[in-house]
Amino acid sequence: MALLQLDTVYSGYGAIKALQGISLTVGQGEIVTLIGSNGAGKSTTLKTISGIVQASKGSILFAGESVGKLPPHVIVQKGIGHVPEGRRIFPRMTVLENLEMGAYVSKNRQQFKESLERVMVLFPRIKERLSQKGGTLSGGEQQMLAIGRALMMQPKILLLDEPSMGLAPLLVEQIFEIIKELNHQGTTILLVEQNANQALHVANRGYVIVSGQIVLHDTAENLRNNEMVREAYLGTA
């Protein structure tokens, strides 16, 4: 059974129907990537899974349980972490306060300590800046903080939306190494990423979304070698 399953999901913003009946699965322990052009519905897919945008039709199952109608804070408690596009950290809060906000729905102090220690090990640069305001961090550090904040609830699956956006090439490499390490540690990942080449090199499988519809699904290796994907998303023919 898939850890996460979307079946014929429609959602959008008022009259704008961003998702037109998409179906996808993410298995336990996988990295699955969703690639497509700007406006294709990638971010809306993640927002719909995490409850920020409500699905109007279709079903969303997580660990066999329907979560499509649950509010976002309950979905987080179920084990779905979301790192949004643009990081969305709290710039006037310290790094530590940002991390504390990631665990705001939990009353378990032992879990908080364990999660904080894990984030410090994963992101030593963040550990050095706990008392620093989030808004004063570099772009790469803010992305690390955003991922760390999502990890504070010890999610079973992590939804990553454009983690490499706006970062220098060296930092992009670091972020993808972190993604691989998180997966190695047991976190399942659904990855939306503008850098389709990098995404398909870390993912097990991938889906291509066009105008709110899934048009192609295959192993990451096959997608890398697919002529349409190479021309449209990898910049090669």
Side-chain angles (χ1 to χ4, degrees), residues 12-195:
Y13 311 90
I16 301 172
K17 303 305 179 187
L19 301 185
Q20 303 280 345
I22 72 166
S23 299
L24 61 83
T25 62
V26 183
Q28 177 72 47
E30 281 193 303
I31 299 178
V32 173
T33 188
L34 184 62
I35 62 177
S37 60
N38 289 338
K42 304 186 302 297
S43 293
T44 302
T45 299
L46 301 192
K47 290 176 181 177
T48 304
I49 295 167
S50 62
I52 299 170
V53 175
Q54 284 291 310
S56 57
K57 294 181 184 178
S59 67
I60 303 172
L61 299 179
F62 181 65
E65 179 183 357
S66 177
V67 297
K69 301 300 181 183
L70 298 178
H73 72 279
V74 176
I75 291 174
V76 170
Q77 289 174 311
K78 295 290 184 183
I80 299 178
H82 187 178
V83 182
E85 180 183 356
R87 298 139 200 169
R88 303 292 184 181
I89 65 162
F90 301 102
R92 296 184 181 181
M93 291 184 175
T94 66
V95 168
L96 180 58
E97 288 168 341
N98 270 272
L99 294 173
E100 289 172 340
M101 288 300 293
Y104 79 102
V105 294
S106 174
K107 300 290 191 289
N108 189 327
R109 296 305 299 175
Q110 182 59 36
Q111 177 180 301
F112 175 82
K113 291 178 181 178
E114 291 172 357
S115 298
L116 185 62
E117 180 58 32
R118 181 190 184 196
V119 171
M120 296 301 94
V121 171
L122 277 169
F123 305 110
R125 291 170 66 175
I126 295 301
K127 183 178 181 179
E128 298 168 359
R129 292 160 170 78
L130 287 179
S131 61
Q132 192 170 325
K133 298 291 186 184
T136 66
L137 300 179
S138 69
E141 291 164 350
Q142 288 187 19
Q143 187 62 64
M144 293 174 190
L145 176 56
I147 295 173
R149 182 178 60 188
L151 292 175
M152 291 300 292
M153 282 296 291
Q154 300 183 5
K156 298 172 186 173
I157 187 169
L158 196 59
L159 312 179
L160 287 174
D161 195 350
E162 305 284 12
S164 78
M165 180 179 287
L167 301 184
L170 182 59
L171 286 173
V172 171
E173 293 288 341
Q174 291 179 13
I175 290 297
F176 276 94
E177 285 301 318
I178 290 165
I179 291 170
K180 288 191 289 186
E181 176 59 26
L182 288 173
N183 183 246
H184 179 72
Q185 292 179 6
T187 302
T188 303
I189 294 171
L190 177 56
L191 171 66
V192 163
E193 175 54 55
Q194 62 176 349
N195 190 329

